[in-house]
Amino acid sequence: MKRIVMGLAVAALALPLLGSSAHAEEQAPRKTVFDVSDLETGAPPKLVWSQTTGDETTIHGPTGETPVAGRVDALAPMGSGYVVQSFDTSDPNARPITRFVGADGTPGRSTWRTGYGLATSPDGEAVAFTTRRGGVKVIDQDGDRVLSMPRIPSKEFGTPVYVTNGYCKEDETSNGCAILVNSTKRRESWVVSSHGIVDITGFKAVSTGSHRWAGGITTFSDTGTCSVMKRNQRARWKTCDNMFSDISPDTQRVLGTPAYADGFGPTALDVLDLRTGRLQNSWISTRKATTTYFDEVWEDATHILVVTYSDEEFAVVRLGLDGSMEYAVAPVADTDGDMESPFNLQTR
């Protein structure tokens, strides 16, 4: 009888163990060779994107094409048009110019000489940028109005990373917004708010943010970086394997780039669980198939758009969490040989 009971007990224990093993196998990270040399062309990007040819850029948006002078470096949809950051191609030392452009190409009333980069709110209804002497400005969708935020303490051209929400003017219905800004001269970052508050973030550099989540670098070394992901300002998990990039629209995942940034550009991309940091997907280059990317953004909850460089061609590639890959914009040759990407994806 004891043998029967013991056998039943062992069998009962074996069932959950087998189930756990199968579950673990199902949850193993999906690894895909990052080879974009010969893909099928699928649907165009759902997000706004631009392509530069010579001294002109064409923005591809939901209402059609919008011509913009200069080389666009960053863009974001806003109200009846776009916030565009561009360069004068005739002056390689010129600072970026940021301006509002209507969907028909009509310029807005103002332009600003700014720092590098734009930042947006999760709903896409506010876009922030930095100006001289530590200035921080935000354009929101209520009449495409421009609001001035508190200055960052260093009085430099900072780099904006994230806007907490899309309505930045405080009134009886809104508490305004806050903007996370990185220093370009030191390992320091700040949060500035419409309340007039300026404070440090606790990150050496903010990498990403969405809703109640924010992630950034906490330590730098000769061999890489370590980062922490926070929710409601409380640390949830840490990693020294990745730096953080875009958070998915459903706030379930975050893109992870290599922890050590070196060379022409990264050649591997990871998808991490936002709540645990667990690796879910990887695209990895090999000696036979090396792909470099310069821009990565979630197109929707299960697809990622990346601007790639491979075999002397640039393309916009769609990566699926199921391991699929296709061109969202077909490759174009690097005719000038300057390895300057003609494509830009909208800032999210």
mmCIF file of all heavy atoms in Angstrom, residues 130 134 136 150-162 178-193 197-206:
data_model
loop_
_atom_site.group_PDB
_atom_site.id
_atom_site.type_symbol
_atom_site.label_atom_id
_atom_site.label_comp_id
_atom_site.label_asym_id
_atom_site.label_seq_id
_atom_site.Cartn_x
_atom_site.Cartn_y
_atom_site.Cartn_z
ATOM 1 N N THR A 130 13.867 72.010 -26.114
ATOM 2 C CA THR A 130 14.646 72.903 -25.258
ATOM 3 C C THR A 130 15.202 74.064 -26.067
ATOM 4 O O THR A 130 15.440 73.950 -27.271
ATOM 5 C CB THR A 130 15.801 72.157 -24.581
ATOM 6 O OG1 THR A 130 16.660 71.601 -25.588
ATOM 7 C CG2 THR A 130 15.273 71.027 -23.695
ATOM 8 N N GLY A 134 18.891 77.025 -20.939
ATOM 9 C CA GLY A 134 18.125 76.093 -20.118
ATOM 10 C C GLY A 134 16.627 76.159 -20.301
ATOM 11 O O GLY A 134 15.876 75.579 -19.505
ATOM 12 N N VAL A 136 12.854 75.450 -21.524
ATOM 13 C CA VAL A 136 12.062 74.276 -21.880
ATOM 14 C C VAL A 136 10.697 74.764 -22.335
ATOM 15 O O VAL A 136 10.019 75.495 -21.612
ATOM 16 C CB VAL A 136 11.894 73.304 -20.695
ATOM 17 C CG1 VAL A 136 11.073 72.089 -21.112
ATOM 18 C CG2 VAL A 136 13.257 72.873 -20.162
ATOM 19 N N PRO A 150 9.563 75.936 -16.481
ATOM 20 C CA PRO A 150 10.745 76.391 -15.731
ATOM 21 C C PRO A 150 12.038 75.963 -16.426
ATOM 22 O O PRO A 150 12.081 74.944 -17.114
ATOM 23 C CB PRO A 150 10.590 75.683 -14.381
ATOM 24 C CG PRO A 150 9.139 75.385 -14.262
ATOM 25 C CD PRO A 150 8.653 75.123 -15.655
ATOM 26 N N ARG A 151 13.094 76.741 -16.235
ATOM 27 C CA ARG A 151 14.381 76.433 -16.848
ATOM 28 C C ARG A 151 15.124 75.358 -16.054
ATOM 29 O O ARG A 151 14.966 75.261 -14.838
ATOM 30 C CB ARG A 151 15.253 77.689 -16.932
ATOM 31 C CG ARG A 151 14.681 78.744 -17.873
ATOM 32 C CD ARG A 151 15.585 79.973 -17.932
ATOM 33 N NE ARG A 151 15.036 80.935 -18.875
ATOM 34 C CZ ARG A 151 15.316 80.952 -20.175
ATOM 35 N NH1 ARG A 151 16.165 80.063 -20.660
ATOM 36 N NH2 ARG A 151 14.784 81.842 -20.975
ATOM 37 N N ILE A 152 15.951 74.572 -16.758
ATOM 38 C CA ILE A 152 16.809 73.630 -16.050
ATOM 39 C C ILE A 152 17.983 74.401 -15.452
ATOM 40 O O ILE A 152 18.414 75.420 -16.000
ATOM 41 C CB ILE A 152 17.288 72.496 -16.975
ATOM 42 C CG1 ILE A 152 18.039 73.047 -18.195
ATOM 43 C CG2 ILE A 152 16.105 71.653 -17.431
ATOM 44 C CD1 ILE A 152 18.626 71.963 -19.090
ATOM 45 N N PRO A 153 18.526 73.960 -14.318
ATOM 46 C CA PRO A 153 19.514 74.767 -13.581
ATOM 47 C C PRO A 153 20.808 75.042 -14.322
ATOM 48 O O PRO A 153 21.462 76.054 -14.077
ATOM 49 C CB PRO A 153 19.779 73.907 -12.332
ATOM 50 C CG PRO A 153 18.586 73.036 -12.186
ATOM 51 C CD PRO A 153 18.121 72.764 -13.582
ATOM 52 N N SER A 154 21.223 74.167 -15.232
ATOM 53 C CA SER A 154 22.540 74.319 -15.859
ATOM 54 C C SER A 154 22.580 75.390 -16.940
ATOM 55 O O SER A 154 23.659 75.725 -17.437
ATOM 56 C CB SER A 154 22.986 72.993 -16.456
ATOM 57 O OG SER A 154 22.126 72.638 -17.523
ATOM 58 N N LYS A 155 21.409 75.902 -17.346
ATOM 59 C CA LYS A 155 21.330 76.945 -18.376
ATOM 60 C C LYS A 155 21.895 76.494 -19.719
ATOM 61 O O LYS A 155 22.400 77.296 -20.501
ATOM 62 C CB LYS A 155 22.047 78.227 -17.921
ATOM 63 C CG LYS A 155 21.591 78.767 -16.585
ATOM 64 C CD LYS A 155 20.108 79.101 -16.562
ATOM 65 C CE LYS A 155 19.676 79.681 -15.231
ATOM 66 N NZ LYS A 155 18.222 79.912 -15.142
ATOM 67 N N GLU A 156 21.839 75.210 -20.012
ATOM 68 C CA GLU A 156 22.361 74.668 -21.263
ATOM 69 C C GLU A 156 21.214 74.278 -22.193
ATOM 70 O O GLU A 156 20.046 74.307 -21.811
ATOM 71 C CB GLU A 156 23.204 73.424 -20.961
ATOM 72 C CG GLU A 156 22.366 72.311 -20.346
ATOM 73 C CD GLU A 156 23.176 71.069 -20.001
ATOM 74 O OE1 GLU A 156 23.387 70.250 -20.912
ATOM 75 O OE2 GLU A 156 23.580 70.928 -18.839
ATOM 76 N N PHE A 157 21.566 73.892 -23.422
ATOM 77 C CA PHE A 157 20.605 73.242 -24.302
ATOM 78 C C PHE A 157 20.451 71.798 -23.825
ATOM 79 O O PHE A 157 21.312 70.964 -24.075
ATOM 80 C CB PHE A 157 21.110 73.234 -25.748
ATOM 81 C CG PHE A 157 20.917 74.519 -26.497
ATOM 82 C CD1 PHE A 157 21.985 75.373 -26.713
ATOM 83 C CD2 PHE A 157 19.672 74.863 -27.004
ATOM 84 C CE1 PHE A 157 21.822 76.551 -27.434
ATOM 85 C CE2 PHE A 157 19.487 76.037 -27.719
ATOM 86 C CZ PHE A 157 20.565 76.887 -27.923
ATOM 87 N N GLY A 158 19.398 71.480 -23.120
ATOM 88 C CA GLY A 158 19.186 70.118 -22.657
ATOM 89 C C GLY A 158 18.543 69.257 -23.731
ATOM 90 O O GLY A 158 18.285 69.706 -24.847
ATOM 91 N N THR A 159 18.298 67.988 -23.364
ATOM 92 C CA THR A 159 17.621 67.057 -24.272
ATOM 93 C C THR A 159 16.344 66.568 -23.613
ATOM 94 O O THR A 159 16.406 65.875 -22.587
ATOM 95 C CB THR A 159 18.513 65.849 -24.598
ATOM 96 O OG1 THR A 159 19.703 66.302 -25.239
ATOM 97 C CG2 THR A 159 17.787 64.870 -25.520
ATOM 98 N N PRO A 160 15.170 66.915 -24.136
ATOM 99 C CA PRO A 160 13.913 66.468 -23.523
ATOM 100 C C PRO A 160 13.673 64.990 -23.817
ATOM 101 O O PRO A 160 14.065 64.484 -24.875
ATOM 102 C CB PRO A 160 12.861 67.336 -24.205
ATOM 103 C CG PRO A 160 13.439 67.597 -25.569
ATOM 104 C CD PRO A 160 14.930 67.684 -25.377
ATOM 105 N N VAL A 161 13.026 64.288 -22.872
ATOM 106 C CA VAL A 161 12.824 62.855 -23.027
ATOM 107 C C VAL A 161 11.354 62.467 -22.974
ATOM 108 O O VAL A 161 10.898 61.613 -23.734
ATOM 109 C CB VAL A 161 13.598 62.076 -21.945
ATOM 110 C CG1 VAL A 161 13.404 60.567 -22.119
ATOM 111 C CG2 VAL A 161 15.075 62.429 -21.974
ATOM 112 N N TYR A 162 10.576 63.108 -22.099
ATOM 113 C CA TYR A 162 9.222 62.613 -21.855
ATOM 114 C C TYR A 162 8.352 63.727 -21.287
ATOM 115 O O TYR A 162 8.791 64.502 -20.432
ATOM 116 C CB TYR A 162 9.289 61.424 -20.885
ATOM 117 C CG TYR A 162 7.965 60.930 -20.363
ATOM 118 C CD1 TYR A 162 6.935 60.587 -21.227
ATOM 119 C CD2 TYR A 162 7.736 60.788 -19.000
ATOM 120 C CE1 TYR A 162 5.722 60.129 -20.753
ATOM 121 C CE2 TYR A 162 6.527 60.323 -18.509
ATOM 122 C CZ TYR A 162 5.524 59.997 -19.384
ATOM 123 O OH TYR A 162 4.323 59.549 -18.915
ATOM 124 N N ALA A 178 4.503 67.666 -16.523
ATOM 125 C CA ALA A 178 5.927 67.731 -16.180
ATOM 126 C C ALA A 178 6.731 67.180 -17.350
ATOM 127 O O ALA A 178 6.246 66.347 -18.119
ATOM 128 C CB ALA A 178 6.207 66.944 -14.913
ATOM 129 N N ILE A 179 7.973 67.638 -17.469
ATOM 130 C CA ILE A 179 8.848 67.221 -18.559
ATOM 131 C C ILE A 179 10.178 66.768 -17.974
ATOM 132 O O ILE A 179 10.767 67.450 -17.124
ATOM 133 C CB ILE A 179 9.069 68.366 -19.559
ATOM 134 C CG1 ILE A 179 7.727 68.823 -20.147
ATOM 135 C CG2 ILE A 179 10.009 67.935 -20.678
ATOM 136 C CD1 ILE A 179 7.806 70.099 -20.946
ATOM 137 N N LEU A 180 10.651 65.602 -18.414
ATOM 138 C CA LEU A 180 11.946 65.081 -17.993
ATOM 139 C C LEU A 180 12.987 65.486 -19.022
ATOM 140 O O LEU A 180 12.783 65.306 -20.232
ATOM 141 C CB LEU A 180 11.901 63.562 -17.851
ATOM 142 C CG LEU A 180 11.297 63.011 -16.545
ATOM 143 C CD1 LEU A 180 9.836 63.416 -16.395
ATOM 144 C CD2 LEU A 180 11.413 61.493 -16.488
ATOM 145 N N VAL A 181 14.108 66.049 -18.537
ATOM 146 C CA VAL A 181 15.130 66.622 -19.412
ATOM 147 C C VAL A 181 16.505 66.125 -18.980
ATOM 148 O O VAL A 181 16.837 66.147 -17.790
ATOM 149 C CB VAL A 181 15.108 68.163 -19.360
ATOM 150 C CG1 VAL A 181 16.134 68.749 -20.332
ATOM 151 C CG2 VAL A 181 13.713 68.697 -19.674
ATOM 152 N N ASN A 182 17.311 65.694 -19.948
ATOM 153 C CA ASN A 182 18.692 65.276 -19.689
ATOM 154 C C ASN A 182 19.671 66.411 -19.942
ATOM 155 O O ASN A 182 19.480 67.219 -20.856
ATOM 156 C CB ASN A 182 19.083 64.093 -20.579
ATOM 157 C CG ASN A 182 18.454 62.800 -20.139
ATOM 158 O OD1 ASN A 182 18.160 62.600 -18.960
ATOM 159 N ND2 ASN A 182 18.246 61.891 -21.082
ATOM 160 N N SER A 183 20.732 66.432 -19.163
ATOM 161 C CA SER A 183 21.846 67.331 -19.435
ATOM 162 C C SER A 183 22.653 66.799 -20.597
ATOM 163 O O SER A 183 22.788 65.583 -20.780
ATOM 164 C CB SER A 183 22.746 67.456 -18.199
ATOM 165 O OG SER A 183 23.956 68.129 -18.519
ATOM 166 N N THR A 184 23.212 67.686 -21.406
ATOM 167 C CA THR A 184 24.111 67.273 -22.486
ATOM 168 C C THR A 184 25.572 67.492 -22.106
ATOM 169 O O THR A 184 26.465 67.168 -22.887
ATOM 170 C CB THR A 184 23.805 68.055 -23.778
ATOM 171 O OG1 THR A 184 23.887 69.466 -23.503
ATOM 172 C CG2 THR A 184 22.410 67.736 -24.288
ATOM 173 N N LYS A 185 25.812 68.024 -20.899
ATOM 174 C CA LYS A 185 27.175 68.336 -20.473
ATOM 175 C C LYS A 185 27.624 67.517 -19.272
ATOM 176 O O LYS A 185 28.813 67.438 -18.976
ATOM 177 C CB LYS A 185 27.289 69.827 -20.130
ATOM 178 C CG LYS A 185 27.076 70.750 -21.314
ATOM 179 C CD LYS A 185 27.256 72.199 -20.909
ATOM 180 C CE LYS A 185 27.097 73.142 -22.109
ATOM 181 N NZ LYS A 185 27.257 74.571 -21.720
ATOM 182 N N ARG A 186 26.674 66.942 -18.555
ATOM 183 C CA ARG A 186 27.019 66.193 -17.360
ATOM 184 C C ARG A 186 26.048 65.040 -17.205
ATOM 185 O O ARG A 186 25.036 64.975 -17.894
ATOM 186 C CB ARG A 186 26.957 67.100 -16.126
ATOM 187 C CG ARG A 186 25.544 67.632 -15.848
ATOM 188 C CD ARG A 186 25.536 68.754 -14.849
ATOM 189 N NE ARG A 186 25.986 69.983 -15.482
ATOM 190 C CZ ARG A 186 26.110 71.142 -14.842
ATOM 191 N NH1 ARG A 186 25.839 71.209 -13.555
ATOM 192 N NH2 ARG A 186 26.504 72.219 -15.475
ATOM 193 N N ARG A 187 26.349 64.116 -16.305
ATOM 194 C CA ARG A 187 25.464 62.981 -16.063
ATOM 195 C C ARG A 187 24.456 63.364 -14.990
ATOM 196 O O ARG A 187 24.592 63.045 -13.805
ATOM 197 C CB ARG A 187 26.292 61.760 -15.673
ATOM 198 C CG ARG A 187 27.121 61.248 -16.854
ATOM 199 C CD ARG A 187 28.138 60.209 -16.462
ATOM 200 N NE ARG A 187 28.871 59.751 -17.644
ATOM 201 C CZ ARG A 187 29.934 58.976 -17.604
ATOM 202 N NH1 ARG A 187 30.404 58.541 -16.444
ATOM 203 N NH2 ARG A 187 30.538 58.609 -18.724
ATOM 204 N N GLU A 188 23.410 64.050 -15.469
ATOM 205 C CA GLU A 188 22.398 64.579 -14.569
ATOM 206 C C GLU A 188 21.110 64.805 -15.357
ATOM 207 O O GLU A 188 21.146 65.069 -16.558
ATOM 208 C CB GLU A 188 22.875 65.891 -13.947
ATOM 209 C CG GLU A 188 22.028 66.407 -12.808
ATOM 210 C CD GLU A 188 22.660 67.607 -12.112
ATOM 211 O OE1 GLU A 188 23.635 68.168 -12.665
ATOM 212 O OE2 GLU A 188 22.184 67.971 -11.033
ATOM 213 N N SER A 189 19.973 64.674 -14.696
ATOM 214 C CA SER A 189 18.692 64.917 -15.358
ATOM 215 C C SER A 189 17.725 65.544 -14.380
ATOM 216 O O SER A 189 17.844 65.380 -13.161
ATOM 217 C CB SER A 189 18.115 63.605 -15.927
ATOM 218 O OG SER A 189 17.878 62.670 -14.892
ATOM 219 N N TRP A 190 16.738 66.258 -14.939
ATOM 220 C CA TRP A 190 15.799 67.001 -14.116
ATOM 221 C C TRP A 190 14.362 66.761 -14.576
ATOM 222 O O TRP A 190 14.109 66.364 -15.707
ATOM 223 C CB TRP A 190 16.067 68.510 -14.217
ATOM 224 C CG TRP A 190 17.438 68.929 -13.827
ATOM 225 C CD1 TRP A 190 17.898 69.223 -12.580
ATOM 226 C CD2 TRP A 190 18.544 69.125 -14.719
ATOM 227 N NE1 TRP A 190 19.213 69.582 -12.625
ATOM 228 C CE2 TRP A 190 19.643 69.529 -13.915
ATOM 229 C CE3 TRP A 190 18.722 68.988 -16.083
ATOM 230 C CZ2 TRP A 190 20.899 69.810 -14.457
ATOM 231 C CZ3 TRP A 190 19.971 69.250 -16.633
ATOM 232 C CH2 TRP A 190 21.029 69.659 -15.828
ATOM 233 N N VAL A 191 13.441 67.072 -13.670
ATOM 234 C CA VAL A 191 12.032 67.146 -14.016
ATOM 235 C C VAL A 191 11.578 68.574 -13.748
ATOM 236 O O VAL A 191 11.848 69.140 -12.680
ATOM 237 C CB VAL A 191 11.191 66.124 -13.217
ATOM 238 C CG1 VAL A 191 11.369 66.285 -11.712
ATOM 239 C CG2 VAL A 191 9.716 66.236 -13.602
ATOM 240 N N VAL A 192 10.950 69.185 -14.758
ATOM 241 C CA VAL A 192 10.407 70.540 -14.611
ATOM 242 C C VAL A 192 8.897 70.452 -14.809
ATOM 243 O O VAL A 192 8.420 69.715 -15.668
ATOM 244 C CB VAL A 192 11.039 71.520 -15.617
ATOM 245 C CG1 VAL A 192 12.545 71.596 -15.407
ATOM 246 C CG2 VAL A 192 10.750 71.111 -17.049
ATOM 247 N N SER A 193 8.155 71.175 -13.994
ATOM 248 C CA SER A 193 6.700 71.048 -14.050
ATOM 249 C C SER A 193 6.039 72.399 -14.195
ATOM 250 O O SER A 193 6.621 73.449 -13.889
ATOM 251 C CB SER A 193 6.176 70.345 -12.793
ATOM 252 O OG SER A 193 6.124 71.233 -11.700
ATOM 253 N N ILE A 197 7.993 73.773 -10.309
ATOM 254 C CA ILE A 197 8.952 72.957 -9.568
ATOM 255 C C ILE A 197 10.035 72.442 -10.512
ATOM 256 O O ILE A 197 9.749 72.013 -11.630
ATOM 257 C CB ILE A 197 8.233 71.777 -8.884
ATOM 258 C CG1 ILE A 197 7.221 72.300 -7.862
ATOM 259 C CG2 ILE A 197 9.226 70.828 -8.230
ATOM 260 C CD1 ILE A 197 6.343 71.229 -7.271
ATOM 261 N N VAL A 198 11.276 72.474 -10.048
ATOM 262 C CA VAL A 198 12.410 71.874 -10.751
ATOM 263 C C VAL A 198 13.125 70.964 -9.764
ATOM 264 O O VAL A 198 13.469 71.380 -8.655
ATOM 265 C CB VAL A 198 13.391 72.940 -11.279
ATOM 266 C CG1 VAL A 198 14.569 72.277 -11.983
ATOM 267 C CG2 VAL A 198 12.681 73.908 -12.199
ATOM 268 N N ASP A 199 13.349 69.708 -10.140
ATOM 269 C CA ASP A 199 13.975 68.761 -9.222
ATOM 270 C C ASP A 199 14.806 67.760 -10.023
ATOM 271 O O ASP A 199 14.603 67.602 -11.234
ATOM 272 C CB ASP A 199 12.904 68.024 -8.415
ATOM 273 C CG ASP A 199 13.443 67.388 -7.147
ATOM 274 O OD1 ASP A 199 14.667 67.514 -6.888
ATOM 275 O OD2 ASP A 199 12.656 66.764 -6.411
ATOM 276 N N ILE A 200 15.738 67.089 -9.341
ATOM 277 C CA ILE A 200 16.495 66.032 -10.001
ATOM 278 C C ILE A 200 15.625 64.789 -10.089
ATOM 279 O O ILE A 200 14.710 64.584 -9.290
ATOM 280 C CB ILE A 200 17.808 65.723 -9.255
ATOM 281 C CG1 ILE A 200 17.528 65.302 -7.804
ATOM 282 C CG2 ILE A 200 18.748 66.917 -9.306
ATOM 283 C CD1 ILE A 200 18.761 64.848 -7.061
ATOM 284 N N THR A 201 15.926 63.918 -11.066
ATOM 285 C CA THR A 201 15.097 62.726 -11.276
ATOM 286 C C THR A 201 15.598 61.506 -10.516
ATOM 287 O O THR A 201 14.841 60.559 -10.308
ATOM 288 C CB THR A 201 15.062 62.349 -12.767
ATOM 289 O OG1 THR A 201 16.379 61.946 -13.177
ATOM 290 C CG2 THR A 201 14.578 63.510 -13.612
ATOM 291 N N GLY A 202 16.883 61.484 -10.151
ATOM 292 C CA GLY A 202 17.469 60.281 -9.582
ATOM 293 C C GLY A 202 18.162 59.424 -10.619
ATOM 294 O O GLY A 202 18.858 58.462 -10.273
ATOM 295 N N PHE A 203 17.995 59.748 -11.887
ATOM 296 C CA PHE A 203 18.695 59.066 -12.977
ATOM 297 C C PHE A 203 19.894 59.904 -13.413
ATOM 298 O O PHE A 203 19.818 61.134 -13.448
ATOM 299 C CB PHE A 203 17.786 58.877 -14.192
ATOM 300 C CG PHE A 203 16.586 58.011 -13.968
ATOM 301 C CD1 PHE A 203 15.307 58.556 -13.981
ATOM 302 C CD2 PHE A 203 16.719 56.652 -13.763
ATOM 303 C CE1 PHE A 203 14.184 57.762 -13.793
ATOM 304 C CE2 PHE A 203 15.610 55.838 -13.573
ATOM 305 C CZ PHE A 203 14.339 56.395 -13.583
ATOM 306 N N LYS A 204 20.979 59.213 -13.804
ATOM 307 C CA LYS A 204 22.071 59.923 -14.463
ATOM 308 C C LYS A 204 21.601 60.435 -15.818
ATOM 309 O O LYS A 204 22.001 61.518 -16.259
ATOM 310 C CB LYS A 204 23.274 58.993 -14.642
ATOM 311 C CG LYS A 204 23.866 58.462 -13.350
ATOM 312 C CD LYS A 204 24.500 59.554 -12.526
ATOM 313 C CE LYS A 204 25.185 58.974 -11.301
ATOM 314 N NZ LYS A 204 25.778 60.030 -10.442
ATOM 315 N N ALA A 205 20.767 59.639 -16.471
ATOM 316 C CA ALA A 205 20.143 60.045 -17.736
ATOM 317 C C ALA A 205 18.827 59.295 -17.875
ATOM 318 O O ALA A 205 18.791 58.073 -17.702
ATOM 319 C CB ALA A 205 21.043 59.747 -18.922
ATOM 320 N N VAL A 206 17.758 60.019 -18.150
ATOM 321 C CA VAL A 206 16.459 59.393 -18.395
ATOM 322 C C VAL A 206 16.463 58.789 -19.794
ATOM 323 O O VAL A 206 16.922 59.425 -20.751
ATOM 324 C CB VAL A 206 15.317 60.414 -18.263
ATOM 325 C CG1 VAL A 206 13.967 59.747 -18.512
ATOM 326 C CG2 VAL A 206 15.336 61.065 -16.886
#
